């Protein structure tokens, strides 16, 4: 340890230049920092350290406050303060002096000042405002070191509201002759995009310039921004796929400087970043994926070195190969890599193989069958991380046939696990599997009882809540409902009779609710018996207040007809004087309702739990009371975040920009509050690659409203390579077999006995049963929906689930000609096939993507695959005549051909109605024979899709057109909405055909004018919490630029101009009646300062994007 301290003391002078003599190699004996470090290392207790540090802080505070302290002395004092702060002692008195040092010192002193500021302050600290002018001055400096320091501070910590002040200067640095300045400028812009993405939307073209920079460091820095952009909107950056492939080719070929190599591997982290970008771009896109095949093959082939960084590249390659459109030879090589990882004796590589296998098992279950014995051995591995990842893999391959064995393995692991996070994750998975694949009622109840017992009070609230909701709502069969509830009652009565003292509190609460609701189903069970059982729970010392409330509520439901009246009265009197308010209330309810049977039957009817409850979430029944209180002078309600903001503003500096003030009475809202929190599934936490599989997980404060639960991941349907493909040659293994290498560190060798092998074989046959017959066995195939035992009753309201209907020819009376398209064609994201990366015409789709699937083994059994084709003017006019009469007079987009071949053509357009947007799909039979069993499915994650037209017949005649309408409403705002669809049909005496395609709509198609008065606008503004701000470019107009700009926005986005007051204006619009958005505009410093507010979290950002685009387009 003394050697480490001596080396540290020797290095400090050269780093901080604390010695008086230049080039000094040792810390001088008079250095205060050296004395401080030596003094701390010689101490023997924490108490002595605290006393020493307190004396040092008093000395530092006295010296920094002295007017005679020079800048050089201040620099040394800041270094000592930094050291004390790093040890955990507060030095807040030195914060302001660190800012002064960064403002007034020379280059070396500035460096120490900036270092101290970056270590002392966070992004929200009020003193950062004092650093803004210093950063502005240093960004304009001719000294490269000062510019670098300013850009470093900007990329680490800078107030969000001050970004517009320095953004132009940072943009200028993208053209600086020095590559280090350009690289730091790109990283600063990346930071801006993370904290305020809407403020850098206008400089995306400069990002592309940085991507093509001649310096590899600048280029690699720009990849951070593109990774973020492509994850959010991959469709907008498909044209960059060839550029990313070219960069990766150069990296793999070793054309970068040797400085980028790591253990002779060329730029490994750059390769990993590029592979992740290509995975996002190639997903569900065949044409883009074909560009990547060659470089992915090259990456797999070159990865032959025995080093951890090479294995990381191979892992990303495997993920990329299984994410993009499949190619058989690449899949074989990727599967070989996974096998080598799984069979490796190294624990780290085995874990990597299990993780990769978990990622790809939904697309290729046969891959798990090839390594089933290795997976079985991993279940008994001494490393808990290996066990946990193995259970994650088994969770992904669960089906109706192996659910009991897999759940048993998970519960066995739960009983020995001492990690709370693992317990929370696994109980959620077991509960999900039990609900989805339960073989019978008894197994389901017993499994859930084990979950409640093992999980204890660590259970997430949604697990017992979902279980009780499932019991109360029931399923499709009334008889099954009764059997399940009766078995639950019998099970819980047995548990209470056997001694409930060891049961967790959450489990006891579930038992109380079930017995209170359904104990009457057991005819031989008297209410008096149940009441006495419940009363014993009140006497247990371990019972919490919440559990006692549940007990009293259950007793209230069971006390009708004078059952155990004396016991009930005794309990109610005991808890009527409790200090707990909730217990007193429940005791009063029990006392009153037990004495009045008619009132009890009316308040708590026996079948109430099975009836839907209507909740007035707006509390409209209080409108009269609120109006009277406001008229009497009461203060209007303020949301919690607004009250907190006003409280903090009264105690701190005003961080808001001066140019964005609203009229009197409209208080501002913190921009940081406009993002609603997002809950990540807790059960996907064990695997970083499980984001596509939604498991159970919840929080008391966060909700997942409107988010669909999906089992599986989106991918291409299975199909074999066509006969036209060139014959493939078996390639060599991309990695030497890891199991044959001599390095066996971290491995555990065992000699299995014949009995052990036989037992493992039996376990494997139980775990992996059903995988070979699954429909998802084909590579990149989407598994068929499994039959879920417990099916909830269907809801009457609309749903965004895929709508399936047959198509047929409409009536011949629709001969109206469409009015001219009113939407800008650029909003539809339609490009000609010739513009799509120079690819052949059959690979580019005007509005979306499509592919064909044939269910016959003979590739010549059906027509050629569907390819998109640009419709001619005559074809467009012909399809327009088939529009329904009620839609022909409304504005609509251009009719776009999505898929086409010799037999079938699919086209679509969208029509704007007052309350929704209607998607009109035209299916044309271009053949000379009838097409049968025409089916169309349309779905979207952001839109609610409902079928608006009647279901036509099952046959589409020759050269006829079938029309289907879908009503679209917004569930979650986005800049563009993607609709995924599938059309299927059957040829006469032929095999069924299927083709997927997609359609893209802009947000502007859903925007409607919201007509308000100024008073209504003011009241709504105060009630909304999600907002965003940005300066937009004004339209050049000598007379009135504000009015000219608003006219453009009103015309292109259908906004309603409420009022113009001098240089300010207020505007309103909405997506639906419950999704409004308010805009406040003000002319300031030659720009249009725009402030948007809405009750919908993402709506202001999305609308601001289209405002920018509307003003930039001619």
């Amino acid at each position: 340890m003394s050697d480490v301290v001596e080396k540290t003391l020797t290095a400090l002078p050269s780093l901080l230049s604390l010695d008086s003599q230049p080039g000094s190699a040792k810390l001088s004996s008079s250095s205060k920092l050296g004395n401080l470090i030596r003094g701390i290392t010689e101490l023997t207790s924490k108490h002595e350290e605290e006393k020493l540090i307190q004396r040092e802080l008093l000395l530092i505070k006295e010296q920094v406050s002295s007017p005679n302290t020079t800048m050089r002395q201040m620099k040394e004092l800041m270094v000592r303060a930094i050291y004390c702060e790093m040890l955990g002692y507060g030095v807040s008195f030195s914060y302001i002096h660190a800012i002064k040092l960064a403002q007034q010192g020379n280059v070396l002193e500035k460096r120490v000042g900036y270092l101290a500021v970056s270590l002392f302050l966070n992004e929200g600290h009020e003193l950062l405002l004092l650093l803004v002018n210093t950063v502005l001055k240093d960004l304009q400096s001719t000294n490269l070191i000062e510019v670098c320091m300013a850009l470093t501070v900007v990329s680490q910590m800078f107030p969000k509201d001050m970004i517009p002040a320095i953004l132009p200067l940072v943009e200028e640095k993208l053209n600086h002759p020095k590559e280090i300045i350009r690289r730091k400028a790109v990283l600063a812009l990346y930071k801006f995009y993370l904290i305020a993405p809407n403020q850098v939307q206008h400089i995306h073209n400069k990002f592309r310039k940085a991507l093509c920079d001649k310096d590899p460091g600048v280029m690699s820095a720009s990849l951070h921004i593109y990774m973020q952009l492509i994850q959010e909107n991959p469709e907008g950056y498909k044209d960059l796929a060839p550029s990313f492939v070219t960069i990766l080719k150069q990296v793999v070929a070793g054309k970068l400087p040797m400085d980028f190599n790591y253990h002779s591997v060329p730029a490994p982290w750059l390769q990993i970043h590029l592979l992740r970008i290509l995975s996002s771009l190639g997903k569900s896109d065949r044409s883009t994926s074909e560009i990547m095949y060659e470089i992915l093959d090259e990456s797999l082939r070159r990865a032959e070195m025995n080093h951890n960084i090479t294995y990381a590249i191979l892992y990303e390659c495997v993920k990329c190969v299984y994410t993009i459109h499949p190619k058989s030879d690449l899949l074989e090589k990727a599967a070989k890599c996974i096998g080598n990882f799984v069979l490796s004796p190294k624990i780290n590589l085995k874990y990597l193989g299990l993780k990769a296998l978990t990622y790809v098992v939904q697309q290729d279950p046969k891959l798990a069958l090839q390594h089933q014995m290795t997976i079985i051995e991993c279940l008994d591995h001494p490393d808990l991380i290996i066990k946990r990842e193995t259970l994650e893999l088994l969770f992904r391959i669960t089906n109706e046939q192996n659910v009991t064995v897999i759940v048993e393995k998970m519960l066995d692991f739960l009983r020995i696990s001492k990690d709370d996070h693992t317990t929370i994750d696994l109980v959620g998975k077991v509960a999900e599997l039990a609900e989805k694949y339960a073989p019978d009622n008894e197994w389901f109840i017993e499994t859930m009882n084990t979950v409640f017992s093992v999980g204890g009070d660590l259970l997430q609230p949604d697990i017992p809540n979902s279980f009780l909701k499932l019991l109360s709502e029931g399923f499709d069969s009334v008889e099954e409902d009764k059997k399940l509830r009766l078995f639950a009652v019998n099970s819980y009565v047995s548990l209470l009779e056997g001694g409930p003292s060891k049961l967790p509190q959450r489990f006891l609460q579930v038992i109380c609710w079930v017995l209170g609701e359904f104990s009457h189903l057991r005819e031989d069970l008297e209410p008096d018996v149940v009441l006495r059982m419940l009363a014993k729970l009140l006497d247990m010392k371990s019972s919490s207040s919440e559990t006692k409330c549940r007990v009293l509520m259950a007793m209230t439901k069971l006390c009708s007809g004078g059952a155990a009246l004396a016991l009930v009265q005794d309990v109610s009197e005991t808890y009527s004087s409790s200090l707990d308010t909730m217990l007193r209330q429940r005791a009063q309810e029990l006392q009153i309702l037990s004495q009045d049977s008619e009132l009890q039957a009316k308040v708590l009817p026996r079948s109430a739990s099975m009836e839907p409850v209507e909740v007035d979430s707006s509390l409209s029944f209080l409108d009269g009371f609120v109006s009277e209180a406001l008229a009497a002078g009461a203060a209007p309600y303020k949301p919690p975040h607004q009250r907190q903001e006003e409280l903090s503003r009264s105690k701190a500096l005003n961080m808001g920009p001066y140019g964005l003030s609203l009229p009197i009475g409209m208080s501002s809202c913190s921009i940081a509050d406009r993002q609603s929190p997002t809950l990540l599934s807790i059960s996907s936490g064990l695997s970083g690659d499980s984001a596509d599989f939604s498991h159970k997980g919840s929080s008391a404060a966060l909700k997942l409203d409107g988010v669909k639960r999906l089992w599986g991941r989106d991918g291409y349907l299975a199909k074999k390579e066509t006969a036209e493909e060139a014959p493939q040659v078996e390639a060599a293994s991309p990695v030497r077999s890891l199991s044959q290498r001599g390095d066996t560190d971290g491995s555990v060798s065992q000699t299995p006995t014949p009995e052990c092998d036989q037992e493992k074989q039996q376990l494997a046959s139980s775990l992996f049963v059903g995988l070979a017959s699954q429909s998802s066995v084909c590579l990149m195939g989407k598994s068929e929906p499994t039959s879920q035992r417990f099916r909830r009753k269907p809801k009457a309201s609309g749903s965004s689930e895929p709508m399936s209907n047959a198509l047929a020819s409409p009536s011949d009376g629709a001969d109206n000609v469409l009015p001219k398209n009113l939407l800008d064609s650029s909003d539809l994201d339609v490009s000609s096939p010739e513009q799509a990366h120079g690819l052949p015409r059959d690979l580019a789709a005007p509005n979306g993507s499509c592919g064909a699937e044939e269910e016959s083994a003979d590739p010549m059994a059906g027509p050629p695959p569907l390819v998109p084709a640009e419709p001619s003017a005559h074809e467009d006019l012909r399809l327009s005549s088939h529009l329904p009469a009620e839609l022909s007079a409304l504005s609509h987009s251009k009719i776009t051909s999505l898929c086409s071949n010799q037999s079938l053509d699919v086209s679509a357009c969208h029509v704007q109605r007052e309350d929704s947007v209607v998607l009109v799909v035209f299916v044309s039979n271009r053949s000379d024979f009838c097409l049968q069993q025409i089916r169309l499915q349309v779905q979207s994650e952001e839109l609610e899709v409902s079928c608006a037209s009647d279901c036509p017949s099952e046959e589409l005649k020759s050269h006829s057109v079938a029309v289907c309408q879908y009503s679209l409403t917004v569930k979650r705002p986005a800049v563009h909405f993607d609709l995924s669809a599938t059309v299927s049909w059957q040829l006469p005496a032929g095999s069924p055909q299927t083709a997927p395609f997609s359609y893209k709509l802009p947000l502007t198609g859903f925007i409607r004018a919201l007509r308000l008065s100024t008073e209504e606008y003011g009241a709504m503004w105060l009630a909304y919490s999600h907002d965003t701000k940005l300066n937009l470019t004004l339209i050049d107009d000598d007379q009135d630029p504000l009015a000219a700009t608003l006219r453009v926005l009103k015309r292109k986005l259908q906004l309603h101009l409420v009022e113009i007051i001098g240089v300010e204006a207020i505007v309103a619009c909405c997506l639906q009646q419950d999704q409004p958005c308010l805009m406040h505009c003000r002319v300031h410093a030659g720009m249009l300062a725009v402030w948007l507010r809405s009750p919908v979290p993402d709506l202001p950002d999305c609308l601001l994007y289209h405002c920018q685009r509307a003003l930039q387009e001619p």
Side-chain angles (χ1 to χ4, degrees):
M1 183 64 186
S2 59
D3 295 338
V4 176
V5 174
E6 187 62 32
K7 290 181 180 179
T8 304
L9 298 179
T10 305
L12 279 174
S14 60
L15 294 175
L16 302 173
S17 301
L18 296 176
D19 289 337
S20 58
Q21 299 298 328
S24 176
K26 291 187 177 181
L27 198 64
S28 63
S29 59
S30 60
S31 171
K32 300 295 181 64
L33 177 62
N35 294 336
L36 175 62
I37 296 176
R38 289 190 182 95
I40 293 176
T41 56
E42 294 172 358
L43 299 178
T44 58
S45 67
K46 181 68 174 177
H47 180 66
E48 293 178 356
E49 177 188 309
E50 291 177 355
K51 292 175 62 177
L52 177 61
I53 295 296
Q54 292 302 329
R55 289 198 302 268
E56 182 72 17
L57 291 180
L58 289 175
L59 182 61
I60 294 175
K61 187 174 183 180
E62 180 181 353
Q63 293 183 6
V64 297
S65 303
S66 174
N68 299 324
T69 304
T70 64
M71 285 291 117
R72 188 179 184 282
Q73 292 172 337
M74 186 67 72
K75 178 189 67 175
E76 184 178 1
L77 291 172
M78 284 300 106
V79 173
R80 288 155 58 190
I82 290 174
Y83 191 79
C84 294
E85 178 91 1
M86 292 169 60
L87 292 178
Y89 299 92
V91 291
S92 58
F93 62 87
S94 65
Y95 293 175
I96 187 65
H97 299 286
I99 294 177
K100 289 180 180 180
L101 186 62
Q103 292 172 342
Q104 302 172 4
N106 56 31
V107 173
L108 184 58
E109 293 159 358
K110 271 181 172 289
R111 185 173 74 166
V112 176
Y114 274 129
L115 174 64
V117 169
S118 62
L119 294 175
F120 289 160
L121 307 182
N122 54 50
E123 293 181 359
H125 202 283
E126 57 189 19
L127 289 180
L128 274 183
L129 187 63
L130 302 177
L131 200 65
V132 174
N133 286 334
T134 304
V135 172
L136 287 173
K137 183 181 68 174
D138 289 342
L139 285 175
Q140 301 174 24
S141 174
T142 57
N143 191 320
L144 295 181
I145 299 178
E146 292 183 352
V147 177
C148 286
M149 289 189 296
L151 288 174
T152 302
V153 170
V154 165
S155 61
Q156 289 182 351
M157 40 173 288
F158 203 75
K160 184 191 303 184
D161 294 342
M162 293 293 105
I163 289 177
I166 65 169
L167 184 58
L169 294 176
V170 177
E171 291 182 40
E172 291 178 5
K173 297 301 178 287
L174 293 174
N175 300 320
H176 200 278
K178 291 294 183 179
E179 59 274 3
I180 187 174
I181 302 295
R182 298 198 302 272
R183 182 168 70 249
K184 287 182 176 293
V186 171
L187 293 176
L189 292 175
Y190 173 60
K191 177 68 173 182
F192 293 167
Y193 182 81
L194 292 179
I195 62 178
N198 56 329
Q199 298 191 12
V200 294
Q201 294 281 357
H202 62 288
I203 58 175
H204 282 191
N205 289 333
K206 297 185 179 180
F207 295 158
R208 299 196 175 210
K209 185 177 179 180
L211 182 65
C212 302
D213 196 280
K214 61 182 179 181
D215 182 72
V218 180
M219 178 270 297
S220 61
S222 67
L223 293 181
H224 293 283
I225 298 179
Y226 275 108
M227 185 73 241
Q228 198 76 20
L229 294 171
I230 290 172
Q231 285 178 347
E232 297 172 359
N233 180 27
E235 295 295 331
Y237 301 92
K238 296 283 188 180
D239 58 322
L240 289 178
S243 300
F244 292 122
V245 170
T246 302
I247 295 173
L248 184 56
K249 285 181 179 179
Q250 295 179 5
V251 174
V252 173
K255 295 184 179 180
L256 294 187
M258 295 294 294
D259 296 340
F260 288 85
N261 288 4
Y262 177 77
H263 288 270
S264 302
V265 180
W269 287 276
L270 188 57
Q271 291 190 51
I272 292 173
H273 216 150
L274 287 167
L275 288 169
R276 291 175 179 174
I277 291 176
L278 294 179
S279 297
S280 300
L281 290 176
K283 183 178 180 180
S284 304
D285 191 332
R286 179 172 185 171
S287 59
T288 306
S289 300
E290 290 176 346
I291 307 174
M292 311 173 188
Y293 291 156
E294 181 181 355
I295 185 57
L296 290 176
D297 189 26
E298 181 73 9
S299 298
L300 290 172
R301 185 180 63 81
R302 286 179 176 265
E304 298 175 352
M305 298 183 60
N306 183 14
H307 195 274
N308 286 338
I309 194 63
T310 307
Y311 302 143
I313 296 175
L314 279 174
Y315 175 70
E316 292 297 334
C317 280
V318 169
K319 287 179 58 180
C320 184
V321 168
Y322 275 93
T323 301
I324 65 175
H325 188 85
K327 187 179 180 182
S328 59
D329 58 341
L330 282 178
L331 293 173
E332 291 176 4
K333 294 180 180 180
K336 190 69 174 291
C337 288
I338 295 176
N340 291 334
F341 283 148
V342 172
L343 297 175
S344 171
K346 295 182 179 180
I347 294 181
N348 289 339
L349 294 186
K350 188 180 290 292
Y351 173 78
L352 200 63
L354 290 172
K355 201 171 183 65
L357 197 58
T358 302
Y359 182 81
V360 305
V361 72
Q362 285 298 117
Q363 288 81 26
D364 190 4
K366 284 185 177 179
L367 198 57
L369 291 175
Q370 298 173 9
H371 306 287
Q372 52 183 319
M373 294 310 299
T374 305
I375 296 173
I376 296 300
E377 292 175 357
C378 290
L379 284 174
D380 299 325
H381 201 281
D383 193 296
L384 293 180
I385 303 299
I386 298 294
K387 279 187 177 180
R388 197 169 65 184
E389 192 62 34
T390 306
L391 292 176
E392 177 76 16
L393 171 61
L394 295 178
F395 173 74
R396 305 298 177 88
I397 63 175
T398 306
N399 54 46
E400 297 91 339
Q401 302 178 50
N402 61 9
V403 61
T404 55
V405 182
I406 291 179
V407 167
E408 182 182 354
K409 289 295 178 182
M410 288 183 174
L411 293 177
D412 290 343
F413 184 81
L414 273 174
R415 293 185 180 97
I416 63 174
S417 175
K418 297 181 180 179
D419 181 56
D420 291 348
H421 175 76
T422 303
T423 301
I424 293 173
D425 179 82
L426 281 184
V427 294
K429 291 178 179 176
V430 172
E432 183 175 348
L433 294 179
E435 180 178 341
K436 192 170 185 179
Y437 299 115
D440 52 60
N441 294 338
E442 291 78 3
W443 184 89
F444 175 69
I445 296 297
E446 291 174 356
T447 301
M448 292 305 298
N449 290 349
T450 308
V451 167
F452 294 141
S453 300
V454 175
D457 295 331
L458 295 175
L459 283 174
Q460 291 296 317
D462 75 315
I463 296 178
N465 292 345
S466 178
F467 173 71
L468 296 180
K469 184 179 180 181
L470 188 146
L471 286 178
S472 63
E473 289 183 352
F475 320 114
D476 296 336
S477 172
V478 177
E479 189 65 26
E480 287 292 327
D481 295 348
K482 185 176 181 181
K483 289 181 180 179
L484 180 64
R485 293 163 183 165
L486 184 58
F487 188 84
V489 170
N490 294 333
S491 175
Y492 296 154
V493 168
S494 301
L495 288 175
L496 292 184
E497 290 176 346
S501 58
K502 296 182 180 180
L503 297 178
Q505 297 299 304
R506 290 248 172 111
F507 195 10
L508 291 176
Q509 295 165 17
V510 170
I511 292 175
C512 293
W513 189 91
V514 172
L515 293 181
E517 291 289 341
F518 305 119
S519 61
H520 65 275
L521 297 177
R522 181 172 168 178
E523 298 178 356
D524 60 336
L525 184 63
E526 296 295 332
D528 295 2
V529 178
V530 181
L531 286 171
R532 283 192 291 270
M533 291 180 181
L534 294 175
K536 291 180 181 179
L537 300 179
L538 296 172
D539 299 331
M540 293 193 313
K541 296 181 179 180
S542 59
S543 295
S544 63
S545 176
E546 184 179 359
T547 302
K548 291 180 179 179
C549 287
R550 296 292 184 99
V551 172
L552 294 178
M553 292 171 63
M555 296 180 70
T556 305
K557 299 173 185 177
L558 296 172
C559 65
S560 60
L565 187 58
L567 176 62
V568 169
Q569 290 298 325
D570 187 28
V571 170
S572 60
E573 291 176 1
T574 301
Y575 289 96
S576 294
S577 57
S578 173
L579 297 178
D580 190 292
T581 306
M582 291 300 297
L583 278 176
R584 284 205 311 272
Q585 178 179 343
R586 299 306 177 195
Q588 290 290 338
E589 293 173 356
L590 175 61
Q591 184 176 12
I592 295 173
L593 294 179
S594 63
Q595 298 174 0
D596 192 338
S597 300
E598 295 183 1
L599 180 61
Q600 195 263 0
K602 185 180 297 184
V603 175
L604 297 172
R606 178 159 291 182
S607 59
S609 64
M610 291 170 278
E611 297 178 357
V613 179
E614 296 182 2
V615 179
D616 185 3
S617 58
S618 63
L619 304 180
S620 58
F621 56 88
L622 293 176
D623 289 347
F625 172 78
V626 173
S627 300
E628 294 177 0
L630 291 175
Y637 171 75
K638 294 180 180 180
H641 70 273
Q642 186 174 342
R643 296 197 299 269
Q644 185 67 27
E645 180 187 352
E646 293 178 356
L647 181 62
S648 61
R649 188 181 303 156
S650 63
K651 297 181 180 180
L653 296 175
N654 183 10
M655 302 298 292
Y658 294 107
L660 295 176
S661 58
L662 281 174
I664 298 175
M666 297 186 183
S667 56
S668 63
C669 170
S670 173
I671 300 179
D673 292 335
R674 61 185 173 86
Q675 297 293 342
S676 64
T678 303
L679 173 65
L680 298 179
S681 176
I682 292 177
S683 52
S684 63
L686 292 183
S687 176
D689 301 318
S690 57
D692 292 305
F693 302 89
S694 177
H695 307 151
K696 290 196 173 184
S698 183
S699 170
L702 305 179
K703 297 181 179 179
L704 281 175
D705 296 334
V707 178
K708 297 192 300 182
R709 287 184 57 207
L710 299 177
W711 173 250
R713 60 180 282 118
D714 294 329
Y716 279 78
L717 293 174
K719 67 177 181 181
K720 300 180 180 179
E721 296 295 325
T722 57
E724 289 79 4
E725 255 184 285
Q728 299 166 358
V729 181
E730 182 177 356
S733 171
V735 184
R736 291 184 293 119
S737 179
L738 302 177
S739 60
Q740 298 175 358
R741 293 176 180 163
D743 190 359
T744 59
D745 55 315
S747 63
V748 179
S749 60
Q750 296 179 354
T751 304
T753 62
E755 294 80 1
C756 182
D757 288 343
Q758 184 178 3
E759 182 180 351
K760 290 182 178 179
Q761 290 286 354
Q762 294 176 353
L763 180 59
S765 63
S766 302
L767 286 175
F768 299 96
V769 63
L771 289 187
S773 60
Q774 287 184 6
S775 60
S776 60
V777 67
C778 299
L779 297 179
M780 301 305 289
K782 190 173 182 180
S783 55
E784 296 292 333
T786 57
S787 58
Q788 186 171 343
R789 174 169 179 80
F790 298 117
R791 296 184 178 180
R792 301 185 186 275
K793 292 182 178 178
K795 304 294 182 181
S797 59
S799 173
S800 62
E801 294 297 320
M803 303 290 178
S804 178
N805 59 286
L807 296 176
S809 302
S811 61
D812 297 330
D815 297 328
N816 299 325
V817 180
L818 278 176
K820 191 173 181 180
N821 177 27
L822 299 179
L823 290 179
D824 189 359
S825 60
S826 61
D827 288 340
L828 299 177
D829 193 27
V830 180
S831 60
S832 63
E834 291 81 5
Q835 294 173 342
H837 317 302
L839 296 177
R841 182 178 181 86
D842 61 339
L843 295 180
N847 193 336
S849 60
C850 72
E853 177 191 24
E854 299 187 9
E855 300 181 8
S856 173
D858 184 7
M860 304 301 294
L866 291 177
V867 294
E870 190 70 23
S872 62
H874 175 73
E875 181 71 12
D876 186 277
L877 185 63
R878 184 183 71 86
L879 293 177
S880 300
S881 64
H882 291 279
L883 271 174
E886 66 272 12
L887 301 179
S888 59
L890 301 175
S891 61
H892 64 86
S893 66
K894 180 181 178 181
I895 298 179
T896 306
S897 178
L898 304 178
C899 294
S900 178
N901 77 342
Q902 297 177 354
S903 302
L904 194 71
D905 178 87
V906 180
S907 303
C909 69
H910 57 269
V911 182
Q912 295 185 1
R913 303 184 67 172
E914 186 65 27
D915 56 344
S916 65
V917 172
V918 178
L919 176 67
V920 182
V921 182
F922 305 90
V923 179
S924 305
N925 184 357
R926 304 173 62 181
S927 64
D928 296 329
F929 43 82
C930 294
L931 300 181
Q932 300 174 351
Q933 298 182 9
I934 307 295
R935 293 289 186 275
L936 189 67
Q937 290 184 333
V938 180
Q939 60 182 349
S940 173
E941 294 184 358
E942 298 90 1
L943 299 175
E944 183 172 345
V945 184
S946 58
C947 184
S949 63
D950 297 333
C951 292
S953 61
E954 295 285 326
E955 187 178 72
L956 185 60
K957 297 182 179 179
S958 173
H959 300 288
S960 61
V961 179
V963 179
C964 189
Q965 305 174 42
Y966 292 92
S967 178
L968 309 177
T969 53
V970 178
K971 292 192 300 183
R972 185 172 66 252
V975 174
H976 293 90
F977 301 102
D978 293 315
L979 287 165
S980 58
T982 303
V983 61
S984 60
W985 73 97
Q986 186 169 0
L987 301 172
S991 60
Q993 311 293 321
T994 303
F997 60 92
S998 63
Y999 190 81
K1000 194 170 187 177
L1001 296 91
L1003 178 71
T1004 52
F1006 295 87
I1007 298 176
R1008 302 291 184 268
L1010 179 60
R1011 306 193 179 279
L1012 300 171
S1013 64
T1014 305
E1015 293 75 13
E1016 294 172 333
Y1017 180 98
M1020 295 172 64
W1021 181 274
L1022 295 176
Y1024 298 160
S1025 58
H1026 304 286
D1027 68 348
T1028 188
K1029 306 174 185 177
L1030 187 65
N1031 292 336
L1032 301 180
T1033 305
L1034 280 169
I1035 300 294
D1036 293 334
D1037 192 316
D1038 296 336
Q1039 297 181 353
D1040 193 348
L1042 175 60
T1045 305
L1046 293 176
R1047 282 196 299 269
V1048 173
L1049 294 177
K1050 181 179 179 181
R1051 173 172 56 86
K1052 292 187 176 182
L1053 302 181
Q1054 301 186 27
L1055 307 179
H1056 172 62
L1057 180 58
V1058 180
E1059 187 176 1
I1060 298 180
I1061 309 173
V1063 295
E1064 300 186 15
I1066 51 178
V1067 183
C1069 67
C1070 64
L1071 298 186
Q1072 299 171 5
Q1073 291 301 321
D1074 58 343
Q1075 297 184 3
C1077 187
L1078 307 181
M1079 180 189 301
H1080 175 265
C1081 308
R1082 178 177 178 177
V1083 178
H1084 177 71
M1087 300 290 288
L1088 183 65
V1090 178
W1091 191 352
L1092 292 94
R1093 275 195 180 184
S1094 174
V1096 184
D1098 299 329
L1099 184 53
D1101 282 333
C1102 298
L1103 184 58
L1104 191 57
Y1105 169 83
H1106 285 286
C1107 289
Q1108 287 180 298
R1109 185 173 176 180
L1111 295 178
Q1112 291 173 358
E1113 294 176 350

